[in-house]
Amino acid sequence: MTLADISSNLLYAAFIAYLIATFVFGGAVKGNKKGTYKSEQRWGKVAITITVIGFLAQLGYFITRWMVTGHAPISNMFEFTTAFGMTLVGGFIIIYALYKTAVLGMIVLPIALLIIAYASMFPSEVSPLIPALQTNWLAIHVITVVVAEGILAISAAAGLIYLLKVVDQKKKTKQRFWLEAIMYSLVLVLGFVVTSTFFTLTNYEADFAYVNKDGQPSEITYNMPAIFGMNEFEAMTDGAFTPLVEMPPIVHAGKLTTVFWSVMVGTVLYALIRLVFRKRISEMLQPFTKNVNLQLMDEINYRSIIIGFPIFSLGALIFAMIWAQIAWSRFWGWDPKEVWALVTFLFYAAYLHLRLGRGWAGEKSAWLAVIGFVIIMFNLVAVNLIIAGLHSYA
Amino acid sequence: MDKLICKCGHENPPGTILCESCGRPLNEQEQSKKLADMRYEGTARRSQTYNKSIIDKIWNFFSSVKIGVGIIVVLLVAAAVGTILPQKQYVPAATDADIEAYYTDIYGSVGTVYHALGFHDLYNSFWFIGLVGMLAISLIIASLDRFVPLYKSLKNQRVLRHSSFMRKQRILAEGPGEADTLKKAEEKLAELKYKVSTDKNGLLAEKGRFSRWGPYINHIGLIIFLFGVMLRMMPGFYVDETLWIREGETRAIPDAPGYVLESKGFTLETYTGEGEEEKFGEAIDRVGTVAKNYQTDVVLYKIPEGALPGDTADMEVVEEHAIRVNQPFKFDGYALYQMDFQQDELKTMSFALQNKETGESRGDLTIDLVNPETTYELEDGSVVELLGYYPDFSGFENGEPQTATPLPKNPGFLVKMTTPDTPDGETSFITIQNTVEPLGDNEYKLAFQGVETRDASGLTVRKDRTLPILGLGGLIFMIGVAQGMYFNHRRFWIQQQADGSILLAGHTNKNWFGLKKDLDQVTEHASLPAYRDQQEDMEAQEKGEGEQLT
Amino acid sequence: MSTEKKRNKKKNRTIMRSVILLLLVAAIGYTIYNSVTADEVEVLKVGDPAPDFTLTDLDGETHKLSDYKGQGVFLNFWGTWCEPCIKEMPAMANQYEVYEDQGVQILAVNIAQSNFEVETFARQYGLNFPIVIDRDKSVMTAYNIRPLPTTMLVNPQGEIQRIVTGEMTEQDIAGFMEEIKPE
């Protein structure tokens, strides 16, 4: 077995460990009798042990991949997103050591699983570094950012648990709607993973020629049956599914097709869940939170941001500016990725001021923490894939 | 407004919530609360105190956290809006008209509206800069207004606080104590690195007060940073020039008086996927080629002191250097960056002088397109004379060949060919596409043989004198943030009444979990009465009431 | 505290606050002004001393700007690819015949082209004034020349009298030479 094989096997091992740990944490929480934490304490220990084993395996993946590629494995979507999953679990382990909250594991681990699964939909072969990335600042800047984002995401998980407990599932409220919307969007990610995996396993490929927005002829490979066709498309693969709609040149119909399939499959999945269980997902999760100490969740929410915010400022703004000055001759250029890092920073600054200056705690803080995570994910997913800029890698 | 005089006799500035001296609540609203409002220690924010003149009103506006957060949110949304479509600097168009047309052509009516609203250059718009300016004003005024009273209040803290103050703290313990309880508590607190002061029957233990200054220090950092950004817009602080230089050329560096640069060559390397790089083979196969290195080898010259521009005879070599991405060439406060390149511009063209019928060649000649010569003599006495050279031939005007640019993109030559067969010479106009024989049919022609090319490097010339200021601002910001966030201000007040009973209150600005861990240790060591978290009690009670109702 | 003192304190406070606010607003106003006018910053202005330089002409003769002190210098930046430059050249040659004796010197600065191109051009148009070649663009950089043609009119005191961008008619040229002609 080569080092590269060892590396990817360690990632599989980590994935499986997180999967098992999720269920053990769930069982640990579910087993609690009202007002007691005995089951949580006993099974929590087992679950956290499995989690730590998974984390160590993923750390092993990270280190061995670094050895194989010769550079920090955070240089493309697959590597960065996987690392994000790892720091998320790492952040959880630290918080668990402090607060012993099994219910947090039950929420964080599935999110980490989704993130890692999402990552593996991107090309995962080891890739060489373009000149702009050939510097130690790659490791310094990106690792700091990914650690900060992992910690900040913990606050969103704590916020989510808080909301699952306090949002009344019996009354039709805005809160109930948006909470369920979060659950639905998580299912959509699952939809993306399921669809991509299915078409990858079935080796679906269809080539099209088209005219790009600058009027140049180009080619594209669809890995899913093309619902949307590129501008002036022409099929190059025999028997390929003919696109139903042709898009104008500025819309990347290939990406739109992927989004369409993911939303379709995700929605079907969600509908199935609703049909089978006859409950909203947040309603199904609510019983797990019956023993949750709200004060503690609020504190975890706030504390994660307090720990994460300075690291984020350092990595995503200061280190980023230093590197930008070295590589691009200016520390700031209003590139979309830069702007969204600033947006994230401003958002958490607003959170802190609202909390300190205006006493926003509890449910308001919980909503803000969840929105913060949405902004982080937007910067990771949408800004890379939709908005073109200097940081588009993948 | 009048001063507020507390029952303890202390005079408080108007607007104070908790007496600066003993901590008694000073207004009814505060008295009715279960927990004291400990933000800024209950001191009066200076701006709230006065609200008379228009200046005071403006001042108060910027002092408010609500307004500050409002500005942050508006900035955040505006910044995000600027990413919907690319900003003008990322658009492949140069003039204002081209830029406007680009937005309409590529993005349709959305692009037209986006451009019309000025969002294509949002971050340089007067209103965006104005917003950042308002944020700066808010940072300064809000900090001043809060820092001064907070500093005074924490500096003049009393050990003994009124019991109403203590009972309104979140952490509270009441119960019997021993004669040595206070002493033991003091011991343990000192061991936990608290600063303990005592007064009569009470003690105040305090740790990490400096963390309270964190927010103000990070605000100072941000203001210094914004000041640096402001300076940067003034002439002289910031140089941003582009220098296109071709292999073999020598060019004065724009905005760097006295410095001249020569390009020895541009190199573009790509990954081969072989040998050491075999591991990258799969990735390279997928995406095609991947660049490995962009590099311009240059020689930097300096014109001697007192020499004039154009006087290049006595230039001295300063340094030979390889400029690469991520490795700018720094000298004398300037930096040169490898930013762009243009490959395969024509450098020389070679021709053979051929008899059109027989195809027989009378020899080859090479024309240097950068610095052509007038005559080219061939072996057997044949001569090719260059009558005219048009590096970027663009057509004829009034019978005269024209050149569109000085770069040899589409060279045109007007030549006179003289051979022993044609002693009078034949004239021909040659371009890459075709040959024109203006004075009738020729016997000879110049047959194209080949070209040599050269590359051009696009370098950025940068000088940024504000970097030290920006760096300082960033550093102070980070120190302030770390100080405010990674340290907590924890305090305990303990009093022993005449009957020996203990009253204990605890407060921290954050991380109550850590405060409780400290208190657990003290409680055990000094056998203090068990403490309660009043906020948790309150919530449990609310919930209890809620459940009873349903 | 007496009312007198109180009033003083209030007055001081208002002054203090006004000063701080005024400073901040001024700083922001200046920043906005700078950013809006950023593209229009010119390094050289009318009235500035013309930067000295030394360049060699086609005959190998050196021309140093400061050597022409006491004369007006018609400093024309040009290239053979620039159509308006070509058009105004014969007019310049005509006026040079008139004004050379009245103390006006023309220096035509070619931007980094080859000897061959410049010589051919000069011969073709029968240009009678000195043409110098700015091989490393250092004079162009020192004068911050952007569009071609640009003409700098330098008066006998060595100051920039006028900056002309774009094509000039023969009438314009005559007028400009009149402006910089020594008394």
Side-chain angles (χ1 to χ4, degrees), chain A residues 129 132 250 307 329 356-357, chain B residues 39 106 271 292 326 462 486:
Chain A
L129 290 184
I250 64 155
I307 298 172
S329 83
L356 294 167
Chain B
R39 278 178 284 152
I106 303 287
Y271 287 95
K292 186 180 177 185
N326 271 313
R462 172 82 69 225
Y486 293 154

Side-chain angles (χ1 to χ4, degrees), chain B residues 409-422:
Chain B
K409 291 179 189 165
N410 179 28
F413 311 93
L414 186 63
V415 291
K416 187 174 170 192
M417 303 166 288
T418 317
T419 64
D421 294 353
T422 53

Side-chain angles (χ1 to χ4, degrees), chain B residues 118-301:
Chain B
F119 291 170
H120 64 294
D121 194 17
L122 187 144
Y123 306 111
N124 293 314
S125 65
F126 71 91
W127 62 269
F128 190 82
I129 295 172
L131 268 174
V132 175
M134 280 171 71
L135 185 69
I137 296 181
S138 166
L139 278 170
I140 292 169
I141 292 180
S143 302
L144 272 179
D145 255 13
R146 287 173 179 75
F147 173 73
V148 175
L150 181 67
Y151 177 79
K152 278 188 187 159
S153 154
L154 285 177
K155 194 157 180 267
N156 302 326
Q157 278 186 89
R158 288 259 190 102
V159 172
L160 293 173
R161 294 293 180 107
H162 191 255
S163 59
S164 67
F165 171 86
M166 293 178 61
R167 290 207 171 88
K168 277 174 197 261
Q169 294 302 317
R170 187 169 150 181
I171 298 296
L172 178 68
E174 283 182 279
E178 306 290 329
D180 60 348
T181 305
L182 271 187
K183 195 149 189 60
K184 276 191 160 169
E186 189 182 339
E187 262 171 37
K188 191 69 193 175
L189 283 163
E191 193 188 311
L192 291 171
K193 303 265 178 340
Y194 280 79
K195 235 177 90 185
V196 184
S197 35
T198 53
D199 185 9
K200 292 175 203 154
N201 61 334
L203 73 79
L204 163 65
E206 189 180 15
K207 177 154 112 174
R209 189 200 285 178
F210 73 100
S211 88
R212 296 293 285 269
W213 317 135
Y216 308 102
I217 289 175
N218 83 47
H219 285 180
I220 290 172
L222 286 174
I223 289 161
I224 292 175
F225 186 89
L226 290 175
F227 178 72
V229 171
M230 192 182 89
L231 275 187
R232 206 158 162 270
M233 295 190 181
M234 292 185 190
F237 277 95
Y238 183 61
V239 167
D240 175 22
E241 291 283 349
T242 304
L243 171 62
W244 275 97
I245 188 164
R246 294 173 171 76
E247 288 172 325
E249 275 184 346
T250 304
R251 287 282 175 265
I253 301 174
D255 279 1
Y259 285 105
V260 175
L261 197 71
E262 179 187 356
S263 167
K264 288 285 184 193
F266 172 80
T267 319
L268 164 63
E269 285 173 77
T270 52
Y271 287 95
T272 56
E274 283 158 16
E276 274 274 286
E277 297 165 5
E278 207 187 322
K279 60 197 173 193
F280 300 135
E282 205 182 320
I284 294 168
D285 286 346
R286 184 170 60 82
V287 295
T289 48
V290 181
K292 186 180 177 185
N293 184 23
Y294 304 115
Q295 176 172 330
T296 306
D297 293 304
V298 297
V299 183
L300 178 73
Y301 299 95

Side-chain angles (χ1 to χ4, degrees), chain C residues 96-107:
Chain C
Y96 188 56
E97 303 222 328
V98 179
Y99 282 94
E100 189 185 2
D101 298 336
Q102 299 183 34
V104 177
Q105 181 63 40
I106 291 186
L107 281 181

